[in-house]
Amino acid sequence: MAANNQELQNLVNYGLVKAHVAMGLIFFIIVALMGFLYSLQLDGIYPLAGIEFLSPGRVRMIHTAGAAYGFLVNMFTGLLYWAVPRFTGYRILSNALGWFMFIALQAAVLITVVAILFLGMADNVEWGETPWWLDPIIVFWLLLHLLQFGAPLFKASQRGPLYVTGWYIAAMLVWTPLVVFMGNLIPRFWAVGSGAGAVQSTFIHDLVGLYVTPVAWGLMYYFVPVIMKKPMWSHGLSLLGFWGLAFFYPMNGVHHFLWSPIPMFAQYSAVFATVAVEFAVTSVLINFMMTLRGSAEQLKYNVPLRYMYTGAIFYWITCFQCAFHVTLTFQKVIHFTDWVTGHAHLIMFGTFGLWVLGMAEYVWPRLFGKETMYSKGLSEGAYWLLMIGVLAMFFDLTAAGLVQGFDWIGLNPWIDSVNFSKPFWYFRSIAGIMMITGLFMYALNFYKTATAKTGLTAELREA
Amino acid sequence: MGKMERFSFVALVAGIIFFLFADFISWALPMFVLKDIPKKSVEDLAAEAIAKNTTAWSDFNKLARYYPDSFKKLCEYTEAYSGAGDVIKDCKPNEKTFAKALRIGHRWYIAEGCWNCHSQMVRPVSNETLRFGIPGVSNTVSYPSEFQNELQAPVLWGTKRIGQDLIRVAAVHDVSWHVAHLYNPQSTSPGSVMPGYPWFFEKDKNGNIVPNERGIALLTYVMWLGSWEVKPPKSFRIETAEK
C-alpha cells in the first residue's frame, strides 16, 4: 500500500469515484421513488393514472432495471475505482477509458429509461428489462470493465498471492459478461419455452449471485479491515467462503421456477445448491463476526461500520430464509406472493444497499479532503430510517405473503386475497416513505460534505 | 494455497469452469431433455389455431367484425421491434393478420409489464388446477410443449401474482369482458388494483370507445392464451362468470 497522500492521489482517480458514487446515489433515489410510485397503485391512489408513459407496469420495470444498472453498477464501479488500486498498489488501466465507460453507462441507463417508458421496448427478463439491442453493448461495456480492473489485479497477482477482495472481484469480472450474455440473448434467440425458462431463471439469480454478491463481499473484505484497522480473523474461512460461493452459487437459478415445466433434476440440483450455499455464506459471516470481536464498541459511533454489520446480519437472515423457502414444500405456499418481494427488498436494499451506503459514507469525506461527514445527526438519522424502514417492509411483506399463499390454497375468490393484502400494502408504502426520507437525508449529507467550505474534522473518541 | 489466490487461477476455475459446469446442469441438460418437442413459430401457431378452429380464431374474427376501422389500422401497422414489418394488403382475418396481431399483442403485453402481476403457469400445487384450470375438461397443469413457441422466448411465467394466472384465461371470460376489463378493470372486477389502459382505446365515428389497433392486438394475444386446450363447454363461461 502506498505510503503518503500524494502517492494515493496518483494511484486513485478521485474524479471517477466521485462521479460514479454521486450518479449511483441519484439513481438510487430515483429508483426508490419509482418503487414508491408503483406501491401507490396497489394502494389504489395512483396519482398519474391514465398517463401512458407513467403507467405503473412500466414504472415497475424502471424500479428493477434501474436498481441493477443505474444504482448498483454505478455504486460498485465507483467503489472499485477506490478499492482496487489501493489494495493492489497499481493504477487502473486507463483514466480516459474510465471516463468513457462512465458516460457510456449513464447513457445506457438513460436509453433504457426512454425505451421502457416512452417506446414500450422492454424485455420480460427481470433485472434485464433493457431492450435486447442494448444488451450486446452492455456485454461490451462489461468486457471493458474486465480490462479496466483486470489489469491492476493481474499485475498484483504476478507479485504475490492476491488478497481475498481480489478473488471475488477477479471472479466477478469474468462472470458478469458471461451472465449478461447468457441471460439476455440466449433465451431470446437460441432457446424457447422451458429451456429458455431455465436460462432465464439462472440469469435472475446469477446477476445477483455472480455480479452483486462477489463485488459486495469483495468490497466488504476490503473496507471492514481498513475501518477497524485489523486483519480478517481467518484466511482459511475466507478461502472456504469464496470457493463455496463460486462452486454452488451459479447452480442456484432454477429455484426461481420450482414446480414449473423445467425438468425435475434441474429443480432438485438448484434446491441442493441453494442449501449448500448457505454453509458458504455462514462461513463468511462467522469470519466477519469474529473479526469484530474486541472492536464491537466501534459500532456505537462509526456509522459506516454499522451499515456494514447491519447489512451482514440482514444478509444472513435472507440467506437462511432462502435455504428454507427454496424447498419444494415452502414453494407451494409462498411462490408468487409478497413473501418473495420482501425477501428481495431485504437482500437488495437491506444488505447490498446498506453496504454500499456505508462504504460510500466512508469514502466520500476522504474524496474531498475532509475527515468526517458534514452532519453526524443526518448520518445517524439516515441510518436508523433506512434500517427500520427496510426491516418493517420485510416483516410486512413476509406476513402478507403468508396471508396470500394460504388464501390462494383455500380457493377463496381471488379478490379476497387482494383485499386481505391491502392493509399490508398500505404499510409497505409507509415503510417506503421512511426509506426514501432516509435516502434524502443521506444525500443531503453528501451534498453538504462535498460543498462545505471549512475542513470538517473528527473528534477523537479513541486512541 | 498460493495458486488459489492468483488472478488467472480464480478467473479460470471459479469464473469459467464452475460457471460452465453449473450452466450445463441447470440449462444445457434441460434443453437436451426438451429438444424433441417441436418449436413453433408465430405463423405455426396462427395456422394451428385456424386449422383447429379454436376459440382464439373465433375471438379474432369477432374483434375484426366489431371494430373494422381499428382492424384496418392493424393491417397497416408497421414497426420493426415486434417483427411486424409489413403492411398487409388483403385486410381480412387470415393466418397472416392473426400472426401479426399475436406478435404485436405479445410485444405490448411485455411493454406494459403485464407479466409483473399476471403469471402464465399453472403449477401442480396449491389447488391451482382447480382455480386456473378448466375443470372437467382436461388436466390443465402447465406442460412443457405448450411453452415451446416463439411467444415464450423468453418465457412469460411471471414473478408475482397480484392478478390471476392468464395461461387459461380464454376459457374463463369472453372477449367482450376482456375489452371492458382492459379499459376499466374495476368495472368488471370491483376492488381490483389493476390500472386501466385507456391508450389501447380510441373514439370511433359514433363516439363510442373502441379498442385501437394495439388494443385489438393485445386482446387477440390474451384471448389466444389457453385456447389450444380442448374447447370448454359452452355453459362454462357463464358458470364461471356467475361464481
Side-chain angles (χ1 to χ4, degrees):
Chain A
M1 205 171 269
N4 62 47
N5 252 346
Q6 192 49 48
E7 273 177 55
L8 280 172
Q9 288 268 10
N10 294 337
L11 202 59
V12 178
N13 186 329
Y14 280 27
L16 278 169
V17 187
K18 284 178 199 168
H20 274 288
V21 169
M23 284 312 287
L25 200 56
I26 290 168
F27 278 121
F28 197 3
I29 291 171
I30 293 171
V31 161
L33 286 171
M34 289 288 172
F36 178 67
L37 195 60
Y38 180 73
S39 85
L40 290 180
Q41 172 62 34
L42 299 182
D43 302 336
I45 42 175
Y46 195 71
L48 306 161
I51 301 172
E52 174 169 2
F53 308 128
L54 292 168
S55 164
R58 298 189 190 187
V59 162
R60 157 68 160 69
M61 287 189 267
I62 304 298
H63 181 60
T64 42
Y69 297 104
F71 158 55
L72 282 172
V73 175
N74 257 322
M75 276 294 199
F76 282 143
T77 312
L79 293 165
L80 285 179
Y81 276 122
W82 174 270
V84 170
R86 281 181 160 238
F87 79 81
T88 56
Y90 293 100
R91 275 189 290 176
I92 45 159
L93 188 65
S94 150
N95 286 333
L97 180 65
W99 283 109
F100 169 73
M101 281 169 58
F102 171 74
I103 292 163
L105 177 63
Q106 315 314 320
V109 175
L110 292 176
I111 291 169
T112 305
V113 170
V114 170
I116 290 177
L117 288 187
F118 297 98
L119 307 174
M121 291 177 182
D123 264 8
N124 49 323
V125 179
E126 207 155 33
W127 292 106
E129 288 95 343
T130 49
W132 62 265
W133 41 267
L134 205 58
D135 296 327
I137 303 170
I138 292 172
V139 174
F140 182 69
W141 186 91
L142 287 167
L143 291 173
L144 292 178
H145 193 253
L146 165 65
L147 294 179
Q148 181 81 312
F149 294 107
L153 286 169
F154 184 73
K155 278 184 215 158
S157 82
Q158 296 305 90
R159 212 174 41 183
L162 209 52
Y163 176 62
V164 48
T165 304
W167 321 333
Y168 278 99
I169 291 163
M172 173 281 284
L173 289 171
V174 181
W175 276 328
T176 318
L178 288 172
V179 167
V180 172
F181 174 83
M182 174 197 81
N184 285 289
L185 299 171
I186 289 179
R188 193 173 185 95
F189 297 108
W190 293 290
V192 289
S194 303
V199 185
Q200 200 177 320
S201 62
T202 311
F203 170 76
I204 298 172
H205 200 86
D206 284 358
L207 195 70
V208 181
L210 301 184
Y211 174 69
V212 178
T213 304
V215 190
W217 273 130
L219 289 171
M220 280 286 282
Y221 271 108
Y222 171 75
F223 280 106
V224 168
V226 163
I227 293 176
M228 287 205 280
K229 298 187 175 61
K230 64 182 193 187
M232 291 303 295
W233 183 62
S234 159
H235 183 73
L237 273 185
S238 304
L239 275 169
L240 189 72
F242 172 76
W243 288 98
L245 185 97
F247 186 72
F248 288 113
Y249 227 123
M251 235 186 299
N252 282 6
V254 181
H255 74 211
H256 288 257
F257 287 141
L258 295 183
W259 297 109
S260 73
I262 294 175
M264 223 47 213
F265 67 82
Q267 300 187 25
Y268 289 137
S269 76
V271 173
F272 165 75
T274 311
V275 176
V277 99
E278 172 62 20
F279 291 95
V281 164
T282 307
S283 78
V284 175
L285 203 82
I286 289 172
N287 206 356
F288 275 90
M289 287 304 157
M290 294 308 278
T291 309
L292 185 67
R293 201 169 60 161
S295 316
E297 87 281 0
Q298 282 201 37
L299 294 177
K300 273 194 284 185
Y301 55 87
N302 193 331
V303 183
L305 196 67
R306 207 189 306 149
Y307 270 115
M308 289 173 200
Y309 272 91
T310 315
I313 290 167
F314 286 170
Y315 189 75
W316 193 77
I317 294 172
T318 37
C319 289
F320 185 71
Q321 191 193 27
C322 207
F324 282 98
H325 80 203
V326 299
T327 55
L328 290 152
T329 322
F330 271 68
Q331 281 290 303
K332 284 181 191 172
V333 183
I334 58 106
H335 192 218
F336 287 132
T337 69
D338 269 326
W339 172 297
V340 183
T341 318
H343 173 78
H345 279 90
L346 193 66
I347 191 78
M348 275 302 151
F349 193 108
T351 303
F352 300 125
L354 291 192
W355 279 352
V356 292
L357 292 181
M359 291 162 192
E361 188 162 328
Y362 169 79
V363 165
W364 194 253
R366 284 162 179 79
L367 288 170
F368 290 90
K370 285 157 191 163
E371 279 179 36
T372 64
M373 294 296 286
Y374 174 75
S375 157
K376 182 81 176 161
L378 278 176
S379 184
E380 288 278 349
Y383 168 80
W384 288 107
L385 277 172
L386 291 167
M387 197 272 272
I388 295 171
V390 72
L391 210 57
M393 182 180 280
F394 169 70
F395 283 121
D396 172 60
L397 290 179
T398 305
L402 290 173
V403 169
Q404 288 159 4
F406 284 115
D407 188 60
W408 295 346
I409 292 176
L411 279 178
N412 295 321
W414 185 267
I415 198 70
D416 279 10
S417 79
V418 175
N419 287 330
F420 291 156
S421 310
K422 278 177 185 169
F424 293 104
W425 288 339
Y426 287 125
F427 190 80
R428 181 239 293 260
S429 299
I430 293 167
I433 292 174
M434 282 179 79
M435 286 148 77
I436 291 168
T437 314
L439 273 178
F440 272 116
M441 284 169 74
Y442 184 90
L444 178 67
N445 204 8
F446 262 48
Y447 175 76
K448 287 284 190 187
T449 309
T451 53
K453 289 216 173 59
T454 50
L456 307 165
T457 48
E459 39 179 315
L460 287 177
R461 293 283 292 271
E462 198 197 33
Chain B
M1 289 285 257
K3 202 178 162 194
M4 291 176 95
E5 299 148 357
R6 300 263 172 190
F7 178 81
S8 328
F9 186 80
V10 168
L12 185 71
V13 178
I16 295 178
I17 297 177
F18 284 8
F19 179 81
L20 292 182
F21 172 73
D23 279 0
F24 181 72
I25 291 181
S26 52
W27 63 265
L29 274 182
M31 284 198 331
F32 282 130
V33 170
L34 298 162
K35 78 175 191 311
D36 292 335
I37 305 171
K39 294 181 187 106
K40 294 176 190 162
S41 69
V42 182
E43 281 72 22
D44 294 342
L45 296 171
E48 190 185 78
I50 294 168
K52 290 188 182 164
N53 193 20
T54 60
T55 53
W57 176 236
S58 64
D59 286 332
F60 183 59
N61 275 294
K62 269 186 212 162
L63 286 168
R65 214 163 51 236
Y66 296 165
Y67 314 113
D69 295 341
S70 305
F71 188 72
K72 215 172 147 215
K73 273 191 262 166
L74 177 71
C75 295
E76 290 157 6
Y77 186 97
T78 55
E79 157 225 51
Y81 192 68
S82 58
D86 304 326
V87 175
I88 294 174
K89 293 267 164 52
D90 53 334
C91 189
K92 51 180 187 266
N94 56 22
E95 196 188 309
K96 248 178 131 181
T97 38
F98 191 41
K100 184 171 182 175
L102 281 180
R103 276 189 204 282
I104 300 167
H106 174 246
R107 176 253 159 105
W108 285 102
Y109 184 92
I110 292 168
E112 295 296 349
C114 302
W115 51 281
N116 286 326
C117 301
H118 292 286
S119 56
Q120 287 191 17
M121 169 166 63
V122 181
R123 303 176 306 152
V125 293
S126 307
N127 295 323
E128 285 183 15
T129 46
L130 294 179
R131 188 192 286 279
F132 302 124
I134 307 173
V137 175
S138 60
N139 176 21
T140 45
V141 169
S142 289
Y143 42 91
S145 63
E146 68 182 311
F147 297 107
Q148 207 76 356
N149 61 60
E150 213 182 307
L151 297 182
Q152 289 283 346
V155 288
L156 281 161
W157 288 344
T159 56
K160 168 88 183 73
R161 270 185 193 141
I162 291 172
Q164 305 221 13
D165 191 275
L166 294 186
I167 197 71
R168 307 272 180 260
V169 77
V172 180
H173 297 296
D174 64 11
V175 66
S176 48
W177 186 94
H178 280 284
V179 175
H181 187 70
L182 186 64
Y183 185 72
N184 180 5
Q186 284 72 34
S187 68
T188 54
S189 325
S192 163
V193 292
M194 179 174 151
Y197 289 90
W199 49 93
F200 286 108
F201 293 84
E202 63 186 15
K203 275 205 170 122
D204 72 354
K205 282 168 279 181
N206 307 325
N208 296 323
I209 295 166
V210 298
N212 60 15
E213 68 278 11
R214 281 193 286 159
I216 287 197
L218 187 64
L219 287 161
T220 308
Y221 174 72
V222 170
M223 294 313 290
W224 167 77
L225 291 172
S227 67
W228 51 83
E229 283 291 333
V230 183
K231 264 191 198 172
K234 267 205 172 131
S235 57
F236 176 68
R237 281 180 178 172
I238 301 154
E239 275 169 32
T240 327
E242 279 167 359
K243 249 192 256 174

